[in-house]
Amino acid sequence: MAENLCGGLPPDICEQLSKEEQFIKIKVEKRRYGKEVTIIEGLGGNDSELKKIASELKSKLAAGGTVKDGKILIQGDHKEKVREILIKMGYAESNILVIE
């Protein structure tokens, strides 16, 4: 399926192009009992890809989290750290918006 979208480009180049086109929003919400949750929206891909990204974020941040409704939820306020990690993972810095 990915080959059709990329018109025969090598998979690694195709993956880089798709990462650069994504517009990612990072925000923090307060939940029950004053707990904060970092929400990452706009990452394309299916659930298994999102779970892989979530797993990497959780291990680097030493925090729990989950994938729900196409969003990644990480326990705690990690918006700046998440932004830095996503940039290192190859996502375009200009396409990552941190909502205060």
Side-chain angles (χ1 to χ4, degrees):
M1 183 174 109
E3 288 178 11
N4 297 343
L5 294 172
C6 294
L9 287 172
D12 54 338
I13 293 174
C14 178
E15 186 179 325
Q16 186 62 36
L17 287 173
S18 68
K19 280 183 178 182
E20 289 174 1
E21 290 173 1
Q22 293 172 355
F23 189 72
I24 303 165
K25 288 186 249 177
I26 303 170
K27 62 184 175 184
V28 175
E29 282 185 5
K30 270 208 191 293
R31 294 283 168 99
R32 245 184 291 185
Y33 312 115
K35 303 278 185 196
E36 293 181 323
V37 178
T38 303
I39 302 171
I40 302 118
E41 322 179 54
L43 289 168
N46 55 28
D47 267 7
S48 65
E49 290 173 28
L50 287 176
K51 284 179 182 172
K52 202 166 91 176
I53 295 168
S55 175
E56 192 167 332
L57 287 170
K58 290 189 301 185
S59 68
K60 289 185 177 176
L61 296 168
T66 188
V67 173
K68 190 174 186 182
D69 301 327
K71 301 175 187 173
I72 298 175
L73 308 174
I74 306 286
Q75 295 172 353
D77 182 352
H78 300 288
K79 55 184 177 265
E80 288 305 320
K81 291 178 189 167
V82 166
R83 184 177 179 276
E84 291 170 18
I85 293 168
L86 289 174
I87 291 167
K88 286 180 186 169
M89 290 170 76
Y91 293 94
E93 186 173 354
S94 58
N95 290 357
I96 299 175
L97 177 66
V98 177
I99 301 169
E100 295 297 327

